[in-house]
Amino acid sequence: MRDNGRMLRLTDLILPLNHTDAELRAATVAALGIRDDQLISLQVARRGYDARKHGDVRLIYALDVDTTVPPTLKTKGQPSLRLGEVPNTEYQYITRQAPKGTHRPVVIGMGPCGLFAGLVLAQMGFNPIIIERGQAVKERTASTWGLWRKRILTPESNVQFGEGGAGTFSDGKLYSQVSDKFHHGRKVLTEFVEAGAPDEILYVSKPHIGTFRLVSMVQNMRAKIIALGGEVRFDTRVDDLLLEQLEDGQQQIRGVVLQDGSEIRTDHVVVALGHSARDTFDMLYRRGVYMEAKPFSVGFRIEHPQSMIDQARFGAQAGHPLLGAADYKLVHHASNGRSVYSFCMCPGGTVVAATSEPNRVVTNGMSQYSRNERNANAGIVCGIDPADYVQAFKADRPELPSHVFDSVVGEERVHPLAGISLQRALESQAFTVGGGNYNAPAQLIGDFLRGQPSSVLGEVEPSYKPGVTLGSLDSTLPSYAIEAIRESLPAFGRKIRGFDRADGVLTGVETRTSSPLRITRGRDFQSLNVRGLFPAGEGAGYAGGILSAGIDGIKVAEAIARSALRIA
């Protein structure tokens, strides 16, 4: 029976993997303490699985139910069961009409954050202008394949830059651990389904889309923004800000300057750059926008046969259609004080070339919706913090005076852009070790653990394109990271059988795990010292992944609406 006119949600109902629909209904009826004829409807709100017991994977459900009589929860045999109201997840707009006289807001970047900021602004009647330095997603895909197939890099349009952002060439994961009490994540998923994503992303516990589906979805969302009055400009880079000095010492955004010298006047700018817009970060710093160095992680991509991971995680149930390709999440706290963890795990995927700058090598992982490629891959990365960046920055920027090291970490003064210098140093070294032709340096796990170069592959064939150069990875990361990763792999092998197999492949380097800086903002989502400037998403240090970036874009769009409407 509905409580106050709303359906009830039964949470944490556990059933065997191979249950039937009839068994699901019977278990629901039993849990509710009612007869079968008293259950009006049953709808799956969430379905996940528990694979902790090897070979005995269980499905875990959240079910929205309607009954003819008040249910009485029966927890015998299932003590975790809960019953409550179905939450109202319908998105609530701040407004549906922008105030008269409002300048059109500008959104810089069309990754997941900029895409959703632009979409929600358009839905609220603000007619945003989205500026994207890269190409539209179809043309961008061709440019990206140019590096993978022909070793030709397009610096302005690649895995990092272009419509859809870096998430377009990824596994397309759509889950996050961010707090989301206003159900912004549901808004993201609902818009994705409307744009062509499968309905299952609304209820499976770890939804994903895959690259090919993301391409058409991004195109559909762009068309929706334009139909609502928005504008999208591709192959257009923002090279400067128009700022007005205020009496209180702060600055007010008044517009942006494009690379051709033209200007767009506005009082609201969303900075949704992604984590690789290094030249734009430099421009923002030179214009006085407050930012600070933040931690990130560096490491390698690791590849194993996907069948090995499936067997290790699911046992005899490996290959079940409801389970799909198995994933994993690992962490190890090394004896040198560093933490090593798996990052952006891509079941049944490939390792891809992800540089955005010439003569550098960067790796990332990508999967299609089917996740049916031969290998599993993940980043195995070591956490680093701003104190680690100083030496690389001094070598990279010797022309700068010492006073620019203005973010204090312990007794060190760390420039906000210092993490970029470290990234560049590692990526340049990987390019050199790989042979100077965009091949990535690679090493077999067994050889890496023994500290000897690799010369011959085993059973595991690396998927990185345009290719790999076997050798030693020791020179491609700082020694503390090599030491920590070398210690972590046997520890991971004790958690997942075969993880440290001798012929598994490590490919370097993974440096773009997150932004190396944060463009700090206040509770109103605006820059601490530039009013009307709204740092957002992964590049600004406020998201990590497609879903959290989309959520942050929605929040920033709402903040702009509140600012325009003068709502506190």
Side-chain angles (χ1 to χ4, degrees):
M1 178 174 288
R2 297 178 181 227
D3 188 3
N4 297 323
R6 292 167 66 178
M7 294 179 71
L8 298 176
R9 178 163 292 175
L10 177 66
T11 306
D12 290 341
L13 181 68
I14 303 172
L15 280 90
L17 178 61
N18 289 314
H19 72 78
T20 64
D21 289 345
E23 289 169 334
L24 175 61
R25 184 179 179 92
T28 303
V29 167
L32 296 174
I34 61 175
R35 300 192 312 269
D36 184 83
D37 63 333
Q38 294 171 328
L39 179 61
I40 299 172
S41 66
L42 176 158
Q43 182 176 348
V44 176
R46 179 73 62 186
R47 187 189 70 217
Y49 62 79
D50 181 354
R52 289 175 296 178
K53 192 171 182 180
H54 188 73
D56 186 22
V57 179
R58 299 287 177 131
L59 296 182
I60 306 173
Y61 284 95
L63 303 168
D64 293 345
V65 298
D66 195 6
T67 63
T68 61
V69 297
T72 302
L73 189 64
K74 305 293 185 180
T75 60
K76 185 177 180 180
Q78 299 218 30
S80 61
L81 279 174
R82 289 172 291 145
L83 188 65
E85 280 191 358
V86 173
N88 179 11
T89 60
E90 183 178 356
Y91 183 68
Q92 304 296 316
Y93 293 94
I94 301 297
T95 183
R96 297 308 293 262
Q97 184 174 350
K100 289 184 178 180
T102 303
H103 285 297
R104 301 172 71 182
V106 169
V107 179
I108 307 175
M110 203 176 177
C113 180
L115 187 65
F116 276 93
L119 175 62
V120 173
L121 285 167
Q123 290 171 330
M124 291 190 294
F126 281 85
N127 300 334
I129 302 172
I130 303 177
I131 306 297
E132 170 54 57
R133 67 189 298 167
Q135 298 167 314
V137 67
K138 183 177 179 180
E139 291 76 16
R140 175 198 179 196
T141 301
S143 296
T144 300
W145 279 97
L147 175 60
W148 297 348
R149 290 175 173 171
K150 301 178 182 179
R151 307 176 191 270
I152 299 173
L153 173 68
T154 304
E156 292 293 323
S157 198
N158 43 63
V159 166
Q160 308 297 346
F161 299 145
E163 185 180 23
T168 303
F169 298 98
S170 70
D171 184 55
K173 296 179 185 70
L174 296 175
Y175 45 94
S176 172
Q177 296 180 339
V178 300
S179 176
D180 188 24
K181 65 180 179 179
F182 294 110
H183 307 291
H184 291 112
R186 186 71 176 186
K187 168 70 169 172
V188 172
L189 298 179
T190 300
E191 291 290 351
F192 276 152
V193 169
E194 185 175 318
D199 290 344
E200 70 177 34
I201 71 170
L202 296 174
Y203 64 83
V204 295
S205 61
K206 293 182 177 180
H208 77 105
I209 299 175
T211 291
F212 287 164
R213 289 191 179 221
L214 275 167
V215 168
S216 61
M217 289 163 50
V218 167
Q219 290 174 317
N220 292 337
M221 294 180 70
R222 181 220 310 166
K224 185 173 183 178
I225 291 170
I226 294 171
L228 290 167
E231 179 184 348
V232 179
R233 302 187 188 182
F234 294 115
D235 299 301
T236 304
R237 190 181 63 244
V238 172
D239 276 358
D240 205 355
L241 305 180
L242 299 175
L243 300 173
E244 177 187 346
Q245 189 69 41
L246 302 178
E247 293 182 358
D248 61 3
Q250 285 203 331
Q251 299 186 92
Q252 168 69 50
I253 194 78
R254 293 302 183 199
V256 297
V257 181
L258 307 181
Q259 84 264 32
D260 63 1
S262 62
E263 299 177 355
I264 302 175
R265 296 285 174 169
T266 184
D267 299 321
H268 300 95
V269 173
V270 179
V271 180
L273 301 174
H275 56 41
S276 295
R278 294 164 171 175
D279 49 359
T280 308
F281 290 145
D282 190 74
M283 178 274 289
L284 293 171
Y285 178 78
R286 286 186 282 103
R287 297 297 280 149
V289 177
Y290 183 82
M291 58 183 69
E292 54 194 334
K294 64 173 270 299
F296 65 105
S297 300
V298 297
F300 308 124
R301 278 274 145 185
I302 193 166
E303 290 190 88
H304 304 94
Q306 181 61 51
S307 58
M308 186 201 85
I309 301 298
D310 292 344
Q311 183 64 34
R313 295 277 283 115
F314 299 146
Q317 294 166 307
H320 193 285
L322 288 184
L323 298 177
D327 63 0
Y328 55 78
K329 188 174 183 179
L330 299 167
V331 64
H332 174 72
H333 301 290
S335 56
N336 67 358
R338 303 283 175 167
S339 291
V340 178
Y341 61 96
S342 59
F343 169 78
C344 188
M345 194 270 158
C346 295
T350 56
V351 181
V352 300
T355 186
S356 54
E357 296 181 330
N359 301 330
R360 296 192 168 101
V361 164
V362 182
T363 65
N364 196 13
M366 184 180 85
S367 295
Q368 301 301 342
Y369 177 72
S370 61
R371 288 178 165 174
N372 62 0
E373 296 292 335
R374 178 179 62 250
N375 290 349
N377 77 78
I380 297 296
V381 296
C382 174
I384 58 176
D385 61 55
D388 297 317
Y389 311 163
V390 175
Q391 185 174 357
F393 184 77
K394 289 179 177 178
D396 185 41
R397 305 289 289 273
E399 76 281 4
L400 295 178
S402 59
H403 69 77
V404 302
F405 299 90
D406 54 8
S407 295
V408 178
V409 181
E411 296 182 357
E412 296 279 10
R413 292 185 174 273
V414 183
H415 191 280
L417 305 179
I420 294 174
S421 294
L422 178 57
Q423 287 177 324
R424 282 174 164 159
L426 299 178
E427 293 163 14
S428 295
Q429 175 67 1
F431 181 81
T432 299
V433 175
N437 60 354
Y438 293 107
N439 269 16
Q443 189 172 12
L444 273 61
I445 292 173
D447 292 334
F448 177 75
L449 293 176
R450 290 188 293 270
Q452 65 184 40
S454 295
S455 58
V456 180
L457 293 172
E459 179 185 338
V460 182
E461 296 184 17
S463 60
Y464 178 93
K465 296 291 185 272
V468 302
T469 299
L470 291 177
S472 172
L473 292 172
D474 283 8
S475 68
T476 62
L477 292 180
S479 59
Y480 55 78
I482 294 291
E483 176 186 340
I485 293 172
R486 190 166 274 148
E487 179 184 313
S488 74
L489 294 178
F492 293 157
R494 292 189 289 272
K495 297 178 181 179
I496 296 179
R497 185 176 181 180
F499 199 88
D500 56 345
R501 60 184 284 168
D503 66 344
V505 177
L506 296 167
T507 305
V509 289
E510 181 100 4
T511 54
R512 312 282 181 95
T513 52
S514 68
S515 180
L517 58 85
R518 175 172 289 110
I519 306 175
T520 317
R521 67 191 187 194
R523 293 172 61 88
D524 60 0
F525 291 85
Q526 299 185 54
S527 162
L528 294 184
N529 65 339
V530 180
R531 293 177 187 168
L533 192 71
F534 293 79
E538 192 158 349
Y542 290 98
I546 295 172
L547 184 62
S548 63
I551 290 171
D552 203 55
I554 294 171
K555 290 179 178 179
V556 165
E558 293 173 343
I560 288 175
R562 291 191 183 97
S563 173
L565 294 165
R566 303 186 185 280
I567 300 173

